[in-house]
Amino acid sequence: MAIEGALTNFATTLTLTILPVLFVRELGMSEWALGLFLAIGGCGALVGAIGARWLGERFGLGRMLWTTGAVASSAGCFVPMLGSGSLLWPAAVAWALITAKTGIGNVLAVSLRQAATPDHLMGRMNATFRFLLTGALAVASVLAGVLGELVGVRAVLWVSAGAFAVSWLVVYLSPLRFLRELPAEQGNQL
């Protein structure tokens, strides 16, 4: 879960860092268009977080963790094709799917981590996850700027799409894939 979360944060931050440059400088779109695009993503995250519990109970926690990643991975390929014309809306829907995955994953993964970690290790577990997840944000922010300057804005978005494409495989190839529900007692090991 730590690797998947770090990859997701890395990919999301690459996109978020470079979107203003793409919208305003490359495409010549207004700031409000960028704000609307980002707001669509915020709505996706909210809807994902609200529906996460129901989805986890209905389809299984592990299945939802990797399935939403696979969907976001597919959607991630539309964001680099973002344009000011007809490609704006498919990219916006793709962005909403990516952020919905983030909302679902945050609720389910944090719940799972807390249920599976013994009380005396909770602080260490949370500190380790925070270090990895926020560290991915810092690395991606710098890398987005460097890559954007060296190889272009679209290349950064394709790297982001590639990171999304790999992130869900980490969960799919793990025992988490078969997990139906949260462990019954705190401290159970997976």
Side-chain angles (χ1 to χ4, degrees), residues 99-119:
T99 57
K101 176 263 185 231
T102 301
I104 292 167
N106 282 346
V107 170
L108 297 181
V110 170
S111 298
L112 176 57
R113 287 183 356 224
Q114 291 176 345
T117 304
D119 286 340

Side-chain angles (χ1 to χ4, degrees), residues 1 15 17 20 33 45 61 66 107 125 128 145 150 158-159 176 189:
M1 287 191 312
T15 300
T17 302
L61 192 124
W66 73 262
V107 170
M125 179 273 298
T128 301
L150 295 176
W158 283 112
V159 170
L176 286 177
Q189 300 298 318

Side-chain angles (χ1 to χ4, degrees), residues 46-130:
L46 178 63
V47 168
I50 290 171
R53 182 176 175 190
W54 180 83
L55 290 168
E57 289 172 353
R58 174 82 168 99
F59 299 106
L61 192 124
R63 181 179 293 155
M64 285 314 304
L65 285 172
W66 73 262
T67 303
T68 56
V71 170
S73 169
S74 300
C77 294
F78 286 96
V79 176
M81 295 186 278
L82 175 69
S84 56
S86 62
L87 291 176
L88 178 61
W89 295 112
V93 170
W95 184 242
L97 290 172
I98 290 167
T99 57
K101 176 263 185 231
T102 301
I104 292 167
N106 282 346
V107 170
L108 297 181
V110 170
S111 298
L112 176 57
R113 287 183 356 224
Q114 291 176 345
T117 304
D119 286 340
H120 71 282
L121 295 176
M122 194 72 69
R124 290 182 198 169
M125 179 273 298
N126 279 324
T128 301
F129 269 83
R130 288 292 95 202

